[in-house]
Amino acid sequence: MKSALLPTYKRIDLSVAKANGTTVEDINGKKYLDFGSGIGVCNLGHRHPDVQKAIEEQLQKYWHVSNLYHNSIQEDVAKLLVENSSGDYVFFCNSGAESNEAAIKLARKATGKTKIITFNQSFHGRTFGAMAATGQEKIQQGFGPMLNTFEYVPFNDVEAVNHAIDENTAAIMLEVIQGEGGVIPANQSFVTDLEQMCKQNNILLIVDEVQTGIGRTGMPFAYNHYGISPDIISVAKGLGNGVPVGAIIAKRKFYDVFGPGSHATTFGGNPISMAAAHTVLQHIFQVEFLQQVETKGENLKKRLIEKVSNLSLVSDIRGEGLMIGIECTRDISTVINQLMQKGLLVLSAGQNVIRLLPPLTVTAKEIDLAVELISETLIENEVLLYS
């Protein structure tokens, strides 16, 4: 049957019938261990019972009114976000791209300047401003001239950033771990120097936590590992555990910048999304839960290093918490398909990095199974490649 959908996605031959926890089941009844989490979205696993209960309870109250009226559940979610971040106020939207658009607008309006420095291989979304902020030519191809107020510099290169700064620089925007770019962590000294350069030059520091935030790396936000205090933080993905929601968290000094009429969205902070987000944050921002994520991540990386780091097909294993990249020496699309056939769903980051983003609720037994399947598949490909 001919699809009525525009072909904007290169879809994998899998049709999902249902999902629960870390398990996805297709329309033929085959079950898969999900180490993709909907691209880092279902941090508490599919259909977490407490999140589902919160959504169902909200459905019995009201679904939507308007942001012209007060919404107490927005206040509850915002409070949890600011209590666990360097920010003081929150704006809710619907996605990661929207949160980055809001961050860009806020930085320009607050500073009166227009230039924003971002990084090669970064990814900030596919709306026009977020696409222009993204340092990947393949994302921008075919759409004509980009906004010329973004400058891209090499990641982890302090001198390149320093050279790019001028009197019109409003902000530096980065992922402290590049996700789509290959699961590449920033160096500690690089991030420390960036924050210092921002302070010295009256430049804002924007950290894109769309993929890395909400417990993914074993802390509330990935920037916490670096001991910095961003001016603006963008979040989405894991915030709603599968229900669309995004946000920016901004410092107190921006309160009057985003006054009435300066920015808006019809569906931002929707009560159903807020019900999900409130439950998500109550679970994930618990110290014990985050410590478990850190422990699981360390175990996953350790097991992978033990099993596959000696293969000539594998050039690096890196990441933080339950965000791990296995860099290979060739295209890994075949490997990803083979893993799916064996019942393990993983992601790619570029052409040669296997990206692992399991639910934060994944068990030690499931980690062991995933490592065994990955090891088995990579060894099979190594034999084929060098036989």
Side-chain angles (χ1 to χ4, degrees), residues 13-33:
D13 188 20
L14 189 157
S15 296
V16 176
K18 54 186 176 180
N20 189 59
T22 55
T23 302
V24 168
E25 185 174 328
D26 69 18
I27 57 175
N28 298 312
K30 181 176 178 177
K31 294 182 179 180
Y32 305 82
L33 178 58

Side-chain angles (χ1 to χ4, degrees), residues 178-230:
Q178 291 188 331
E180 299 286 336
V183 191
I184 305 171
N187 297 331
Q188 176 65 62
S189 59
F190 174 69
V191 176
T192 301
D193 288 346
L194 279 188
E195 183 179 46
Q196 190 61 34
M197 290 161 68
C198 285
K199 290 178 179 177
Q200 291 172 347
N201 293 279
N202 194 28
I203 294 169
L204 304 185
L205 181 60
I206 304 171
V207 176
D208 179 341
E209 293 271 3
V210 170
Q211 187 169 150
T212 54
I214 318 299
R216 173 55 56 186
T217 65
M219 299 193 82
F221 301 97
Y223 78 81
N224 296 132
H225 295 280
Y226 293 86
I228 60 171
S229 180

Side-chain angles (χ1 to χ4, degrees), residues 25-303:
E25 185 174 328
D26 69 18
I27 57 175
N28 298 312
K30 181 176 178 177
K31 294 182 179 180
Y32 305 82
L33 178 58
D34 186 4
F35 262 51
S37 306
I39 315 183
V41 168
C42 298
N43 283 6
L44 288 177
H46 297 280
R47 293 182 55 237
H48 188 282
D50 291 346
V51 178
Q52 183 165 325
K53 180 182 177 182
I55 292 170
E56 289 172 347
E57 288 177 353
Q58 184 59 44
L59 285 170
Q60 299 301 318
K61 298 175 183 177
Y62 65 100
W63 301 2
H64 175 81
V65 282
S66 167
N67 279 316
L68 296 174
Y69 309 118
H70 290 288
N71 184 334
S72 62
I73 195 168
Q74 284 188 6
E75 298 285 354
D76 294 338
V77 179
K79 183 178 180 183
L80 285 171
L81 288 171
V82 301
E83 285 176 349
N84 290 277
S85 72
S86 63
D88 301 288
Y89 293 102
V90 175
F91 171 83
F92 289 111
C93 52
N94 305 287
S95 69
E98 280 193 28
S99 63
N100 283 328
E101 291 281 351
I104 292 164
K105 284 182 66 175
L106 179 56
R108 288 173 59 128
K109 193 168 190 288
T111 62
K113 298 182 284 187
T114 59
K115 179 176 172 178
I116 296 178
I117 297 170
T118 65
F119 296 91
N120 295 341
Q121 299 308 310
S122 61
F123 183 83
H124 300 292
R126 294 178 185 269
T127 50
F128 208 80
M131 175 176 63
T134 295
Q136 297 189 52
E137 188 177 344
K138 68 180 182 181
I139 303 297
Q140 303 169 347
Q141 286 178 347
F143 297 101
M146 291 293 105
L147 298 173
N148 61 8
T149 53
F150 291 94
E151 183 170 348
Y152 320 110
V153 299
F155 195 54
N156 279 324
D157 188 334
V158 173
E159 289 304 315
V161 178
N162 190 47
H163 182 73
I165 289 173
D166 60 29
E167 67 281 356
N168 194 39
T169 303
I172 296 173
M173 184 176 188
L174 83 156
E175 308 149 275
V176 293
I177 304 175
Q178 291 188 331
E180 299 286 336
V183 191
I184 305 171
N187 297 331
Q188 176 65 62
S189 59
F190 174 69
V191 176
T192 301
D193 288 346
L194 279 188
E195 183 179 46
Q196 190 61 34
M197 290 161 68
C198 285
K199 290 178 179 177
Q200 291 172 347
N201 293 279
N202 194 28
I203 294 169
L204 304 185
L205 181 60
I206 304 171
V207 176
D208 179 341
E209 293 271 3
V210 170
Q211 187 169 150
T212 54
I214 318 299
R216 173 55 56 186
T217 65
M219 299 193 82
F221 301 97
Y223 78 81
N224 296 132
H225 295 280
Y226 293 86
I228 60 171
S229 180
D231 295 293
I232 305 169
I233 306 154
S234 59
V235 296
K237 288 191 181 290
L239 181 57
N241 210 64
V243 180
V245 59
I248 58 166
I249 313 166
K251 286 188 172 178
R252 189 176 309 277
K253 59 187 175 183
F254 303 115
Y255 181 80
D256 292 326
V257 179
F258 254 17
S262 59
H263 195 54
T265 170
T266 298
F267 297 108
N270 173 275
I272 298 168
S273 298
M274 291 294 95
H278 189 241
T279 303
V280 167
L281 297 182
Q282 285 180 314
H283 278 73
I284 290 179
F285 284 170
Q286 295 294 320
V287 173
E288 184 179 355
F289 184 92
L290 290 168
Q291 288 174 340
Q292 290 173 358
V293 173
E294 186 176 12
T295 299
K296 292 173 187 177
E298 289 172 352
N299 181 46
L300 174 57
K301 187 155 63 170
K302 178 183 176 183
R303 292 293 316 283

Side-chain angles (χ1 to χ4, degrees), residues 291-352:
Q291 288 174 340
Q292 290 173 358
V293 173
E294 186 176 12
T295 299
K296 292 173 187 177
E298 289 172 352
N299 181 46
L300 174 57
K301 187 155 63 170
K302 178 183 176 183
R303 292 293 316 283
L304 287 168
I305 290 170
E306 290 172 349
K307 286 284 190 177
V308 302
S309 63
N310 63 329
L311 299 177
S312 57
L313 184 60
V314 175
S315 57
D316 196 15
I317 298 170
R318 56 182 178 252
E320 191 72 55
L322 288 170
M323 182 179 182
I324 304 294
I326 306 168
E327 184 174 352
C328 297
T329 56
R330 66 182 182 89
D331 185 290
I332 44 81
S333 55
T334 300
V335 172
I336 288 178
N337 185 61
Q338 290 168 339
L339 287 169
M340 186 181 75
Q341 298 305 316
K342 293 179 180 182
L344 178 65
L345 302 180
V346 300
L347 302 163
S348 63
Q351 292 187 324
N352 66 329

